[in-house]
Amino acid sequence: GNSVTQMEGPVTLSEEAFLTINCTYTATGYPSLFWYVQYPGEGLQLLLKATKADDKGSNKGFEATYRKETTSFHLEKGSVQVSDSAVYFCALTAGSARQLTFGSGTQLTVLP
Amino acid sequence: GAGVSQSPSNKVTEKGKDVELRCDPISGHTALYWYRQSLGQGLEFLIYFQGNSAPDKSGLPSDRFSAERTGGSVSTLTIQRTQQEDSAVYLCASSLGQGLMAEQYFGPGTRLTVT
């Protein structure tokens, strides 16, 4: 079956620090990969996605590259802001399943 | 335009009662999903509707859970004889089409508390 393993949180960083949240996956067939973000008091929203190997998804300064050889999709940002404080979820769709399979989520807190 | 809406936003019910949760997807979106988010289990898929096809019910945890989608739009998730372990945030999402890369848009969720 499909599964996503995500870096355990919580993660606390100072403003302007470099961020990496690790994500690896197991999937049937060729998955599409996503990062969703949940800001405090808000619903889940798509942050970025990649649909084939070596694709790089990017948005709001965040990036993630689809690495088929290591089955990974790590999220990175060069300089985090306080406003990036949120819970980040790695997810995939694969095979005949159209539903998202999520990782456990990583709580990020950025301190001023 | 309007996003996915869900009602109620909060629901407190007594153990053993039935509850209905409603989802209004984005107009024109043919696919609709229900998930639940709980502390112990994270984000779990429950059920998926695509157009007029039979729904994918593979994520429903027990036969106390059921869902309908009327007219290809509004959906209702029903939980019968609620148990304390049903306490969670129930999320609805919709997407335009059913491709693997189709973006799912999530509603704000219904927080269900079973006492």
Side-chain angles (χ1 to χ4, degrees):
Chain A
N2 300 330
S3 67
V4 176
T5 301
Q6 201 175 325
M7 175 176 155
E8 291 283 334
V11 174
T12 303
L13 296 173
S14 297
E15 205 165 24
E16 299 184 2
F18 183 84
L19 169 71
T20 300
I21 301 177
N22 290 337
C23 172
T24 57
Y25 65 87
T26 303
T28 303
Y30 211 143
S32 292
L33 303 174
F34 305 83
W35 277 99
Y36 277 81
V37 59
Q38 191 171 33
Y39 296 103
E42 298 185 18
L44 272 171
Q45 53 187 276
L46 180 67
L47 180 61
L48 53 85
K49 67 180 181 183
T51 57
K52 61 183 189 293
D54 300 324
D55 265 3
K56 179 183 285 188
S58 61
N59 186 25
K60 299 182 180 180
F62 290 89
E63 293 183 340
T65 301
Y66 188 144
R67 299 289 189 201
K68 187 179 178 186
E69 64 276 13
T70 54
T71 61
S72 66
F73 193 54
H74 305 321
L75 183 68
E76 296 182 336
K77 186 174 185 181
S79 176
V80 294
Q81 306 300 311
V82 172
S83 56
D84 294 327
S85 298
V87 182
Y88 293 82
F89 293 90
C90 186
L92 65 82
T93 55
S96 60
R98 295 296 180 262
Q99 67 269 22
L100 288 158
T101 298
F102 286 93
S104 56
T106 302
Q107 171 78 56
L108 170 67
T109 301
V110 180
L111 302 176
Chain B
V4 177
S5 61
Q6 292 185 245
S7 60
S9 56
N10 281 283
K11 176 72 176 178
V12 180
T13 190
E14 292 180 352
K15 178 182 171 181
K17 301 284 190 183
D18 297 353
V19 295
E20 287 189 348
L21 311 179
R22 177 186 168 104
C23 172
D24 282 272
I26 293 172
S27 177
H29 280 195
T30 57
L32 187 148
Y33 308 78
W34 284 97
Y35 299 86
R36 72 176 175 182
Q37 187 174 19
S38 57
L39 281 177
Q41 302 298 323
L43 271 158
E44 305 173 275
F45 163 71
L46 297 176
I47 188 169
Y48 159 59
F49 296 89
Q50 172 58 43
N52 295 321
S53 302
D56 176 353
K57 304 178 182 180
S58 60
L60 294 177
S62 77
D63 58 8
R64 295 186 295 105
F65 288 72
S66 62
E68 291 185 336
R69 189 178 186 192
T70 54
S73 181
V74 171
S75 177
T76 302
L77 177 69
T78 301
I79 309 173
Q80 295 178 309
R81 305 181 303 281
T82 52
Q83 304 295 311
Q84 288 186 331
E85 61 263 27
D86 299 334
S87 296
V89 177
Y90 288 81
L91 298 173
C92 177
S94 69
S95 68
L96 187 62
Q98 60 170 341
L100 286 177
M101 61 193 75
E103 179 178 351
Q104 294 183 28
Y105 294 82
F106 284 81
T110 293
R111 182 175 296 278
L112 175 66
T113 304
V114 182
T115 62

